[in-house]
Amino acid sequence: MRRASPLASPFLSRALLPIREGGVGTTVTAQHRLLQAALYGSNTTSSSSKSRWFLPAFDFPGRSSRVVVGVAGALFSMAAASIVQDVYAKEPPSPELLPKDVILYQYEACPFCNKVKAFLDYYEIPYKVVEVNPISKKEIKWSEYKKVPILMVDGEQLVDSSDIIDKLGQKILPDRTVDSMTEDVDEEIKWRRWVDNHLVHVLSPNIYRNTSEALESFDYITSNGNFGFTERITVKYAGAAAMYFVSKNLKKKYNITDERAALYEAAETWVNALNGRDYLGGSKPNLADLAVFGVLRPIRYLRSGKDMVEHTGIGEWYTRMENAVGESSRIKA
């Protein structure tokens, strides 16, 4: 650890500055920008096996039995497939409501950016991605807003992940504003705020809780981020060392004594909120489901995310969300 301290010192001197979504203003140093980027930077039963379960109900002699049973099995398989499609059916907006040109300026590992992407993917809104270099931020020099995510929608700039989703939702989901949905919307708003005010603050102390997990996290960050070769090497090791120490300060700031226990508690809090439902939205995801899924997606296959799924009941919901959100609607360059 003592060898890592000199690398970390430039970062640590700035680590206690107020942290806001996705980044900081233009007056901070490149090291602090890097820290901000890093910080926020059930097997289903097959239709064939269901068909075999269905077969004993038919008891016809001879060749006709094979025909009838075969038809019955085929019909059951088709019905089962239809049910699965209904469960995981997306809800793309009417084509006339879809924006024509959507560009997301992001950090790949940023939970707030991933929250926006979960919304775009679920509603099948095609979008382009510009990966922002967290040190130079040259990709967003044109904007007065120096944080990510930034979403350009038909030439209009939208900022702040929750505001982006609210404003874009008003454009493509006009039916959500009806009075009959007031109670459901209140619950949704409550849990979306919980994501922004609590869940995201539990993540960093977990993914940087020791040196090996910090290196694992920065390997993901540098592999998916917009870095030059030299930057990638420097950022991976210096950043991992710095964030290991910063995570200790974050634990104090947010009164976290045991980072894994806090992560598990947050996961179980969400599972309890579901109250037996497939999603908080009931039979289909709502904006709170998408928010939780989005911020957890960058850590899901890191050590912390694997531990979370292994030690809590969130795994089944997460798998349902993966199926519901489906393939990315990102437009490949």
Short mmCIF file of all heavy atoms in Angstrom, two decimals, residues 180-242:
data_model
loop_
_atom_site.label_atom_id
_atom_site.label_comp_id
_atom_site.label_asym_id
_atom_site.label_seq_id
_atom_site.Cartn_x
_atom_site.Cartn_y
_atom_site.Cartn_z
N SER A 180 -55.21 8.97 -13.56
CA SER A 180 -55.43 7.66 -12.97
C SER A 180 -54.13 6.99 -12.55
O SER A 180 -54.14 6.02 -11.79
CB SER A 180 -56.17 6.75 -13.97
OG SER A 180 -55.40 6.57 -15.14
N MET A 181 -52.99 7.52 -13.02
CA MET A 181 -51.71 6.90 -12.70
C MET A 181 -51.03 7.58 -11.52
O MET A 181 -49.89 7.27 -11.20
CB MET A 181 -50.79 6.96 -13.92
CG MET A 181 -51.25 6.12 -15.09
SD MET A 181 -50.09 6.21 -16.46
CE MET A 181 -48.62 5.51 -15.73
N THR A 182 -51.70 8.50 -10.83
CA THR A 182 -51.05 9.31 -9.80
C THR A 182 -50.38 8.46 -8.73
O THR A 182 -49.22 8.69 -8.38
CB THR A 182 -52.07 10.26 -9.14
OG1 THR A 182 -52.61 11.11 -10.15
CG2 THR A 182 -51.39 11.11 -8.08
N GLU A 183 -51.09 7.46 -8.20
CA GLU A 183 -50.53 6.64 -7.13
C GLU A 183 -49.31 5.87 -7.60
O GLU A 183 -48.29 5.81 -6.90
CB GLU A 183 -51.60 5.67 -6.61
CG GLU A 183 -51.12 4.85 -5.42
CD GLU A 183 -52.22 3.96 -4.87
OE1 GLU A 183 -53.41 4.21 -5.18
OE2 GLU A 183 -51.90 3.03 -4.12
N ASP A 184 -49.39 5.28 -8.78
CA ASP A 184 -48.25 4.53 -9.33
C ASP A 184 -47.07 5.46 -9.58
O ASP A 184 -45.92 5.08 -9.32
CB ASP A 184 -48.65 3.83 -10.63
CG ASP A 184 -49.66 2.71 -10.39
OD1 ASP A 184 -49.72 2.21 -9.25
OD2 ASP A 184 -50.38 2.36 -11.34
N VAL A 185 -47.33 6.65 -10.08
CA VAL A 185 -46.26 7.59 -10.37
C VAL A 185 -45.58 8.05 -9.09
O VAL A 185 -44.36 8.21 -9.04
CB VAL A 185 -46.79 8.80 -11.17
CG1 VAL A 185 -45.74 9.90 -11.25
CG2 VAL A 185 -47.20 8.36 -12.58
N ASP A 186 -46.36 8.23 -8.01
CA ASP A 186 -45.78 8.62 -6.73
C ASP A 186 -44.78 7.58 -6.24
O ASP A 186 -43.70 7.91 -5.75
CB ASP A 186 -46.88 8.81 -5.68
CG ASP A 186 -47.67 10.10 -5.90
OD1 ASP A 186 -47.18 10.96 -6.66
OD2 ASP A 186 -48.76 10.23 -5.32
N GLU A 187 -45.16 6.31 -6.36
CA GLU A 187 -44.24 5.23 -5.95
C GLU A 187 -43.01 5.22 -6.83
O GLU A 187 -41.88 5.06 -6.36
CB GLU A 187 -44.96 3.88 -6.02
CG GLU A 187 -44.07 2.73 -5.56
CD GLU A 187 -44.73 1.37 -5.73
OE1 GLU A 187 -45.43 1.16 -6.76
OE2 GLU A 187 -44.55 0.51 -4.85
N GLU A 188 -43.22 5.41 -8.11
CA GLU A 188 -42.11 5.43 -9.06
C GLU A 188 -41.14 6.57 -8.74
O GLU A 188 -39.91 6.36 -8.72
CB GLU A 188 -42.67 5.60 -10.48
CG GLU A 188 -41.64 5.62 -11.58
CD GLU A 188 -42.31 5.86 -12.92
OE1 GLU A 188 -42.61 7.03 -13.24
OE2 GLU A 188 -42.54 4.88 -13.64
N ILE A 189 -41.66 7.76 -8.48
CA ILE A 189 -40.82 8.91 -8.16
C ILE A 189 -40.02 8.65 -6.89
O ILE A 189 -38.83 8.97 -6.81
CB ILE A 189 -41.68 10.18 -8.01
CG1 ILE A 189 -42.24 10.60 -9.37
CG2 ILE A 189 -40.86 11.32 -7.40
CD1 ILE A 189 -43.25 11.73 -9.29
N LYS A 190 -40.66 8.07 -5.88
CA LYS A 190 -39.99 7.77 -4.61
C LYS A 190 -38.75 6.91 -4.84
O LYS A 190 -37.67 7.20 -4.31
CB LYS A 190 -40.97 7.05 -3.67
CG LYS A 190 -40.31 6.46 -2.43
CD LYS A 190 -41.28 5.59 -1.65
CE LYS A 190 -40.56 4.85 -0.52
NZ LYS A 190 -41.50 3.96 0.24
N TRP A 191 -38.89 5.88 -5.64
CA TRP A 191 -37.79 4.94 -5.83
C TRP A 191 -36.75 5.46 -6.82
O TRP A 191 -35.58 5.10 -6.73
CB TRP A 191 -38.32 3.56 -6.21
CG TRP A 191 -38.96 2.93 -5.02
CD1 TRP A 191 -40.30 2.83 -4.75
CD2 TRP A 191 -38.29 2.38 -3.89
NE1 TRP A 191 -40.50 2.23 -3.53
CE2 TRP A 191 -39.29 1.94 -2.98
CE3 TRP A 191 -36.94 2.19 -3.57
CZ2 TRP A 191 -38.97 1.35 -1.77
CZ3 TRP A 191 -36.63 1.60 -2.35
CH2 TRP A 191 -37.63 1.18 -1.46
N ARG A 192 -37.17 6.30 -7.74
CA ARG A 192 -36.17 6.94 -8.60
C ARG A 192 -35.29 7.86 -7.78
O ARG A 192 -34.07 7.94 -8.01
CB ARG A 192 -36.87 7.73 -9.72
CG ARG A 192 -37.54 6.86 -10.78
CD ARG A 192 -38.22 7.72 -11.83
NE ARG A 192 -37.27 8.48 -12.59
CZ ARG A 192 -37.58 9.50 -13.39
NH1 ARG A 192 -38.86 9.89 -13.47
NH2 ARG A 192 -36.66 10.13 -14.07
N ARG A 193 -35.87 8.57 -6.82
CA ARG A 193 -35.07 9.42 -5.93
C ARG A 193 -34.15 8.58 -5.05
O ARG A 193 -33.02 8.97 -4.76
CB ARG A 193 -36.01 10.27 -5.07
CG ARG A 193 -36.69 11.39 -5.86
CD ARG A 193 -37.70 12.14 -5.00
NE ARG A 193 -38.29 13.25 -5.74
CZ ARG A 193 -39.37 13.92 -5.35
NH1 ARG A 193 -39.97 13.58 -4.20
NH2 ARG A 193 -39.84 14.91 -6.07
N TRP A 194 -34.64 7.44 -4.61
CA TRP A 194 -33.82 6.52 -3.82
C TRP A 194 -32.58 6.09 -4.60
O TRP A 194 -31.48 5.99 -4.03
CB TRP A 194 -34.66 5.31 -3.42
CG TRP A 194 -33.92 4.22 -2.71
CD1 TRP A 194 -33.58 4.19 -1.38
CD2 TRP A 194 -33.43 2.99 -3.27
NE1 TRP A 194 -32.91 3.03 -1.08
CE2 TRP A 194 -32.81 2.27 -2.23
CE3 TRP A 194 -33.47 2.44 -4.54
CZ2 TRP A 194 -32.23 1.02 -2.42
CZ3 TRP A 194 -32.88 1.20 -4.74
CH2 TRP A 194 -32.28 0.50 -3.70
N VAL A 195 -32.74 5.84 -5.88
CA VAL A 195 -31.60 5.48 -6.72
C VAL A 195 -30.55 6.58 -6.72
O VAL A 195 -29.35 6.33 -6.49
CB VAL A 195 -32.05 5.18 -8.17
CG1 VAL A 195 -30.83 5.02 -9.08
CG2 VAL A 195 -32.91 3.93 -8.22
N ASP A 196 -30.98 7.82 -6.94
CA ASP A 196 -30.05 8.95 -7.04
C ASP A 196 -29.45 9.35 -5.70
O ASP A 196 -28.29 9.78 -5.64
CB ASP A 196 -30.77 10.16 -7.65
CG ASP A 196 -31.13 9.96 -9.12
OD1 ASP A 196 -30.56 9.05 -9.75
OD2 ASP A 196 -31.98 10.71 -9.63
N ASN A 197 -30.24 9.21 -4.63
CA ASN A 197 -29.80 9.71 -3.33
C ASN A 197 -29.16 8.66 -2.43
O ASN A 197 -28.52 9.00 -1.44
CB ASN A 197 -30.97 10.35 -2.58
CG ASN A 197 -31.53 11.56 -3.32
OD1 ASN A 197 -30.81 12.26 -4.02
ND2 ASN A 197 -32.83 11.78 -3.19
N HIS A 198 -29.36 7.39 -2.77
CA HIS A 198 -28.80 6.34 -1.91
C HIS A 198 -28.04 5.26 -2.68
O HIS A 198 -26.86 5.03 -2.42
CB HIS A 198 -29.91 5.68 -1.08
CG HIS A 198 -29.41 4.57 -0.21
ND1 HIS A 198 -28.65 4.79 0.91
CD2 HIS A 198 -29.54 3.21 -0.32
CE1 HIS A 198 -28.32 3.63 1.47
NE2 HIS A 198 -28.86 2.66 0.74
N LEU A 199 -28.72 4.60 -3.60
CA LEU A 199 -28.11 3.43 -4.25
C LEU A 199 -26.78 3.75 -4.90
O LEU A 199 -25.80 3.00 -4.73
CB LEU A 199 -29.09 2.84 -5.28
CG LEU A 199 -28.60 1.59 -6.02
CD1 LEU A 199 -28.27 0.47 -5.04
CD2 LEU A 199 -29.64 1.13 -7.03
N VAL A 200 -26.69 4.85 -5.65
CA VAL A 200 -25.44 5.15 -6.34
C VAL A 200 -24.28 5.38 -5.38
O VAL A 200 -23.12 5.10 -5.71
CB VAL A 200 -25.58 6.38 -7.28
CG1 VAL A 200 -26.50 6.08 -8.43
CG2 VAL A 200 -26.04 7.60 -6.51
N HIS A 201 -24.57 5.85 -4.18
CA HIS A 201 -23.51 6.15 -3.21
C HIS A 201 -22.96 4.89 -2.55
O HIS A 201 -21.89 4.93 -1.93
CB HIS A 201 -24.03 7.11 -2.15
CG HIS A 201 -24.47 8.43 -2.70
ND1 HIS A 201 -23.68 9.18 -3.55
CD2 HIS A 201 -25.63 9.12 -2.56
CE1 HIS A 201 -24.33 10.29 -3.88
NE2 HIS A 201 -25.52 10.27 -3.32
N VAL A 202 -23.67 3.78 -2.69
CA VAL A 202 -23.22 2.51 -2.13
C VAL A 202 -22.26 1.81 -3.10
O VAL A 202 -21.45 0.97 -2.68
CB VAL A 202 -24.44 1.61 -1.83
CG1 VAL A 202 -24.00 0.22 -1.39
CG2 VAL A 202 -25.32 2.25 -0.78
N LEU A 203 -22.31 2.18 -4.37
CA LEU A 203 -21.57 1.43 -5.38
C LEU A 203 -20.06 1.61 -5.29
O LEU A 203 -19.30 0.64 -5.30
CB LEU A 203 -22.07 1.81 -6.78
CG LEU A 203 -23.56 1.60 -7.05
CD1 LEU A 203 -23.89 1.92 -8.50
CD2 LEU A 203 -23.99 0.18 -6.71
N SER A 204 -19.59 2.86 -5.24
CA SER A 204 -18.15 3.11 -5.28
C SER A 204 -17.38 2.47 -4.13
O SER A 204 -16.32 1.87 -4.35
CB SER A 204 -17.87 4.62 -5.33
OG SER A 204 -18.29 5.14 -6.57
N PRO A 205 -17.85 2.55 -2.87
CA PRO A 205 -17.13 1.86 -1.81
C PRO A 205 -17.02 0.36 -2.03
O PRO A 205 -16.12 -0.28 -1.48
CB PRO A 205 -17.97 2.18 -0.56
CG PRO A 205 -18.62 3.47 -0.87
CD PRO A 205 -18.95 3.38 -2.34
N ASN A 206 -17.92 -0.21 -2.81
CA ASN A 206 -17.88 -1.64 -3.08
C ASN A 206 -16.92 -2.00 -4.21
O ASN A 206 -16.15 -2.93 -4.09
CB ASN A 206 -19.29 -2.16 -3.39
CG ASN A 206 -20.05 -2.51 -2.14
OD1 ASN A 206 -19.91 -3.61 -1.60
ND2 ASN A 206 -20.84 -1.58 -1.65
N ILE A 207 -16.98 -1.25 -5.31
CA ILE A 207 -16.14 -1.63 -6.44
C ILE A 207 -14.68 -1.25 -6.24
O ILE A 207 -13.80 -1.74 -6.95
CB ILE A 207 -16.66 -1.05 -7.78
CG1 ILE A 207 -16.60 0.48 -7.78
CG2 ILE A 207 -18.07 -1.52 -8.05
CD1 ILE A 207 -17.03 1.10 -9.10
N TYR A 208 -14.40 -0.39 -5.22
CA TYR A 208 -13.01 -0.02 -4.89
C TYR A 208 -12.64 -0.44 -3.48
O TYR A 208 -11.73 0.12 -2.89
CB TYR A 208 -12.83 1.49 -5.04
CG TYR A 208 -13.20 2.04 -6.39
CD1 TYR A 208 -14.21 2.99 -6.52
CD2 TYR A 208 -12.57 1.60 -7.54
CE1 TYR A 208 -14.56 3.49 -7.75
CE2 TYR A 208 -12.93 2.08 -8.79
CZ TYR A 208 -13.93 3.04 -8.88
OH TYR A 208 -14.28 3.54 -10.12
N ARG A 209 -13.29 -1.43 -2.92
CA ARG A 209 -13.12 -1.72 -1.49
C ARG A 209 -11.76 -2.31 -1.16
O ARG A 209 -11.30 -2.23 -0.03
CB ARG A 209 -14.24 -2.63 -0.98
CG ARG A 209 -14.15 -4.07 -1.43
CD ARG A 209 -15.16 -4.93 -0.69
NE ARG A 209 -15.08 -6.31 -1.12
CZ ARG A 209 -15.41 -7.34 -0.37
NH1 ARG A 209 -15.84 -7.14 0.87
NH2 ARG A 209 -15.32 -8.57 -0.83
N ASN A 210 -11.09 -2.94 -2.11
CA ASN A 210 -9.71 -3.41 -1.91
C ASN A 210 -8.95 -3.24 -3.21
O ASN A 210 -9.52 -2.89 -4.24
CB ASN A 210 -9.69 -4.87 -1.40
CG ASN A 210 -10.46 -5.81 -2.32
OD1 ASN A 210 -10.34 -5.74 -3.54
ND2 ASN A 210 -11.26 -6.70 -1.73
N THR A 211 -7.64 -3.46 -3.17
CA THR A 211 -6.81 -3.18 -4.35
C THR A 211 -7.17 -4.05 -5.54
O THR A 211 -7.17 -3.58 -6.68
CB THR A 211 -5.32 -3.36 -4.01
OG1 THR A 211 -5.11 -4.65 -3.42
CG2 THR A 211 -4.86 -2.28 -3.03
N SER A 212 -7.49 -5.32 -5.30
CA SER A 212 -7.81 -6.20 -6.43
C SER A 212 -9.11 -5.78 -7.10
O SER A 212 -9.22 -5.78 -8.34
CB SER A 212 -7.88 -7.66 -5.98
OG SER A 212 -8.93 -7.85 -5.05
N GLU A 213 -10.12 -5.40 -6.32
CA GLU A 213 -11.38 -4.96 -6.91
C GLU A 213 -11.24 -3.60 -7.56
O GLU A 213 -11.90 -3.32 -8.58
CB GLU A 213 -12.49 -4.94 -5.85
CG GLU A 213 -12.91 -6.33 -5.42
CD GLU A 213 -14.15 -6.32 -4.55
OE1 GLU A 213 -15.23 -5.92 -5.03
OE2 GLU A 213 -14.05 -6.72 -3.37
N ALA A 214 -10.40 -2.74 -7.01
CA ALA A 214 -10.15 -1.44 -7.64
C ALA A 214 -9.49 -1.63 -9.00
O ALA A 214 -9.86 -0.97 -9.98
CB ALA A 214 -9.27 -0.58 -6.74
N LEU A 215 -8.52 -2.55 -9.09
CA LEU A 215 -7.88 -2.84 -10.38
C LEU A 215 -8.87 -3.45 -11.35
O LEU A 215 -8.87 -3.13 -12.54
CB LEU A 215 -6.68 -3.76 -10.18
CG LEU A 215 -5.40 -3.11 -9.70
CD1 LEU A 215 -4.36 -4.17 -9.33
CD2 LEU A 215 -4.83 -2.18 -10.79
N GLU A 216 -9.73 -4.34 -10.87
CA GLU A 216 -10.75 -4.94 -11.73
C GLU A 216 -11.65 -3.86 -12.30
O GLU A 216 -11.98 -3.86 -13.49
CB GLU A 216 -11.57 -5.94 -10.92
CG GLU A 216 -12.70 -6.59 -11.73
CD GLU A 216 -13.71 -7.32 -10.86
OE1 GLU A 216 -14.01 -6.83 -9.74
OE2 GLU A 216 -14.22 -8.36 -11.29
N SER A 217 -12.07 -2.92 -11.45
CA SER A 217 -12.97 -1.85 -11.88
C SER A 217 -12.29 -0.95 -12.91
O SER A 217 -12.90 -0.57 -13.92
CB SER A 217 -13.42 -1.02 -10.67
OG SER A 217 -14.12 -1.84 -9.75
N PHE A 218 -11.03 -0.59 -12.65
CA PHE A 218 -10.35 0.30 -13.58
C PHE A 218 -9.95 -0.40 -14.87
O PHE A 218 -9.80 0.24 -15.91
CB PHE A 218 -9.13 0.96 -12.91
CG PHE A 218 -9.46 2.32 -12.35
CD1 PHE A 218 -10.00 2.43 -11.09
CD2 PHE A 218 -9.28 3.46 -13.10
CE1 PHE A 218 -10.34 3.66 -10.57
CE2 PHE A 218 -9.62 4.70 -12.60
CZ PHE A 218 -10.15 4.81 -11.33
N ASP A 219 -9.80 -1.71 -14.82
CA ASP A 219 -9.58 -2.44 -16.07
C ASP A 219 -10.81 -2.32 -16.95
O ASP A 219 -10.72 -2.12 -18.16
CB ASP A 219 -9.29 -3.91 -15.75
CG ASP A 219 -8.95 -4.70 -17.00
OD1 ASP A 219 -8.00 -4.32 -17.71
OD2 ASP A 219 -9.64 -5.70 -17.29
N TYR A 220 -12.01 -2.42 -16.33
CA TYR A 220 -13.27 -2.23 -17.07
C TYR A 220 -13.38 -0.80 -17.58
O TYR A 220 -13.74 -0.56 -18.74
CB TYR A 220 -14.45 -2.58 -16.16
CG TYR A 220 -15.80 -2.26 -16.77
CD1 TYR A 220 -16.37 -3.11 -17.72
CD2 TYR A 220 -16.50 -1.11 -16.40
CE1 TYR A 220 -17.61 -2.82 -18.28
CE2 TYR A 220 -17.74 -0.82 -16.96
CZ TYR A 220 -18.28 -1.68 -17.88
OH TYR A 220 -19.50 -1.39 -18.45
N ILE A 221 -13.08 0.17 -16.71
CA ILE A 221 -13.20 1.58 -17.08
C ILE A 221 -12.28 1.92 -18.24
O ILE A 221 -12.70 2.55 -19.22
CB ILE A 221 -12.90 2.47 -15.86
CG1 ILE A 221 -14.02 2.36 -14.83
CG2 ILE A 221 -12.71 3.94 -16.28
CD1 ILE A 221 -13.69 2.97 -13.49
N THR A 222 -11.03 1.50 -18.16
CA THR A 222 -10.07 1.87 -19.21
C THR A 222 -10.29 1.08 -20.49
O THR A 222 -10.00 1.56 -21.58
CB THR A 222 -8.62 1.66 -18.72
OG1 THR A 222 -8.45 0.31 -18.25
CG2 THR A 222 -8.29 2.63 -17.59
N SER A 223 -10.81 -0.13 -20.36
CA SER A 223 -11.07 -0.94 -21.56
C SER A 223 -12.25 -0.40 -22.36
O SER A 223 -12.31 -0.54 -23.58
CB SER A 223 -11.36 -2.40 -21.17
OG SER A 223 -10.24 -2.98 -20.56
N ASN A 224 -13.20 0.23 -21.68
CA ASN A 224 -14.40 0.73 -22.34
C ASN A 224 -14.42 2.24 -22.52
O ASN A 224 -15.29 2.77 -23.20
CB ASN A 224 -15.64 0.30 -21.55
CG ASN A 224 -15.88 -1.19 -21.60
OD1 ASN A 224 -16.42 -1.72 -22.56
ND2 ASN A 224 -15.45 -1.89 -20.56
N GLY A 225 -13.48 2.94 -21.89
CA GLY A 225 -13.45 4.39 -21.97
C GLY A 225 -12.67 4.91 -23.16
O GLY A 225 -12.05 4.15 -23.91
N ASN A 226 -12.67 6.22 -23.30
CA ASN A 226 -11.97 6.88 -24.41
C ASN A 226 -10.61 7.37 -23.91
O ASN A 226 -10.45 8.51 -23.50
CB ASN A 226 -12.81 8.06 -24.93
CG ASN A 226 -12.17 8.75 -26.12
OD1 ASN A 226 -11.16 8.29 -26.65
ND2 ASN A 226 -12.75 9.85 -26.55
N PHE A 227 -9.62 6.47 -23.95
CA PHE A 227 -8.28 6.78 -23.48
C PHE A 227 -7.26 6.43 -24.55
O PHE A 227 -7.42 5.44 -25.28
CB PHE A 227 -7.94 5.98 -22.22
CG PHE A 227 -8.81 6.26 -21.04
CD1 PHE A 227 -9.85 5.41 -20.70
CD2 PHE A 227 -8.58 7.37 -20.24
CE1 PHE A 227 -10.65 5.66 -19.61
CE2 PHE A 227 -9.38 7.63 -19.14
CZ PHE A 227 -10.41 6.77 -18.82
N GLY A 228 -6.20 7.22 -24.61
CA GLY A 228 -5.05 6.85 -25.42
C GLY A 228 -4.30 5.73 -24.72
O GLY A 228 -4.56 5.42 -23.55
N PHE A 229 -3.32 5.15 -25.41
CA PHE A 229 -2.60 4.00 -24.85
C PHE A 229 -1.90 4.36 -23.55
O PHE A 229 -2.02 3.66 -22.53
CB PHE A 229 -1.57 3.47 -25.86
CG PHE A 229 -0.74 2.34 -25.32
CD1 PHE A 229 -1.25 1.06 -25.23
CD2 PHE A 229 0.57 2.57 -24.88
CE1 PHE A 229 -0.49 0.02 -24.70
CE2 PHE A 229 1.34 1.54 -24.36
CZ PHE A 229 0.80 0.26 -24.28
N THR A 230 -1.16 5.48 -23.55
CA THR A 230 -0.44 5.89 -22.35
C THR A 230 -1.40 6.24 -21.23
O THR A 230 -1.20 5.86 -20.07
CB THR A 230 0.48 7.09 -22.64
OG1 THR A 230 1.38 6.75 -23.70
CG2 THR A 230 1.27 7.51 -21.41
N GLU A 231 -2.47 6.95 -21.57
CA GLU A 231 -3.48 7.30 -20.57
C GLU A 231 -4.08 6.03 -19.95
O GLU A 231 -4.31 5.97 -18.75
CB GLU A 231 -4.61 8.11 -21.20
CG GLU A 231 -4.27 9.55 -21.48
CD GLU A 231 -5.43 10.29 -22.13
OE1 GLU A 231 -6.21 9.65 -22.87
OE2 GLU A 231 -5.57 11.49 -21.88
N ARG A 232 -4.32 5.04 -20.79
CA ARG A 232 -4.96 3.81 -20.32
C ARG A 232 -4.12 3.14 -19.23
O ARG A 232 -4.64 2.73 -18.19
CB ARG A 232 -5.20 2.86 -21.48
CG ARG A 232 -5.97 1.59 -21.10
CD ARG A 232 -6.26 0.71 -22.29
NE ARG A 232 -7.14 1.38 -23.23
CZ ARG A 232 -6.81 1.72 -24.47
NH1 ARG A 232 -5.59 1.44 -24.92
NH2 ARG A 232 -7.66 2.34 -25.26
N ILE A 233 -2.81 3.05 -19.47
CA ILE A 233 -1.94 2.40 -18.50
C ILE A 233 -1.85 3.22 -17.22
O ILE A 233 -1.97 2.70 -16.10
CB ILE A 233 -0.53 2.20 -19.09
CG1 ILE A 233 -0.60 1.32 -20.36
CG2 ILE A 233 0.39 1.56 -18.05
CD1 ILE A 233 -1.19 -0.05 -20.14
N THR A 234 -1.66 4.53 -17.39
CA THR A 234 -1.53 5.41 -16.23
C THR A 234 -2.80 5.43 -15.40
O THR A 234 -2.77 5.31 -14.17
CB THR A 234 -1.19 6.85 -16.68
OG1 THR A 234 0.01 6.82 -17.46
CG2 THR A 234 -1.01 7.76 -15.49
N VAL A 235 -3.92 5.57 -16.09
CA VAL A 235 -5.21 5.68 -15.40
C VAL A 235 -5.52 4.38 -14.65
O VAL A 235 -6.01 4.43 -13.52
CB VAL A 235 -6.32 6.00 -16.41
CG1 VAL A 235 -7.70 5.77 -15.79
CG2 VAL A 235 -6.20 7.44 -16.88
N LYS A 236 -5.24 3.25 -15.27
CA LYS A 236 -5.60 1.97 -14.64
C LYS A 236 -4.94 1.84 -13.28
O LYS A 236 -5.61 1.53 -12.27
CB LYS A 236 -5.20 0.80 -15.54
CG LYS A 236 -5.50 -0.56 -14.90
CD LYS A 236 -5.16 -1.70 -15.84
CE LYS A 236 -5.42 -3.04 -15.15
NZ LYS A 236 -5.14 -4.20 -16.03
N TYR A 237 -3.64 2.07 -13.20
CA TYR A 237 -2.92 1.80 -11.96
C TYR A 237 -2.98 2.98 -10.99
O TYR A 237 -3.21 2.79 -9.78
CB TYR A 237 -1.48 1.39 -12.28
CG TYR A 237 -1.42 0.06 -12.95
CD1 TYR A 237 -1.32 -0.05 -14.34
CD2 TYR A 237 -1.54 -1.12 -12.22
CE1 TYR A 237 -1.31 -1.29 -14.97
CE2 TYR A 237 -1.54 -2.37 -12.84
CZ TYR A 237 -1.42 -2.44 -14.22
OH TYR A 237 -1.43 -3.67 -14.83
N ALA A 238 -2.78 4.18 -11.49
CA ALA A 238 -2.85 5.35 -10.61
C ALA A 238 -4.29 5.55 -10.12
O ALA A 238 -4.52 5.85 -8.94
CB ALA A 238 -2.35 6.60 -11.33
N GLY A 239 -5.24 5.39 -11.04
CA GLY A 239 -6.64 5.57 -10.67
C GLY A 239 -7.10 4.54 -9.67
O GLY A 239 -7.82 4.86 -8.72
N ALA A 240 -6.71 3.28 -9.87
CA ALA A 240 -7.11 2.22 -8.94
C ALA A 240 -6.56 2.48 -7.54
O ALA A 240 -7.25 2.31 -6.53
CB ALA A 240 -6.65 0.86 -9.45
N ALA A 241 -5.29 2.90 -7.49
CA ALA A 241 -4.68 3.20 -6.19
C ALA A 241 -5.39 4.36 -5.52
O ALA A 241 -5.70 4.32 -4.32
CB ALA A 241 -3.19 3.51 -6.38
N ALA A 242 -5.67 5.40 -6.29
CA ALA A 242 -6.33 6.58 -5.73
C ALA A 242 -7.72 6.25 -5.22
O ALA A 242 -8.11 6.63 -4.11
CB ALA A 242 -6.40 7.68 -6.79
#
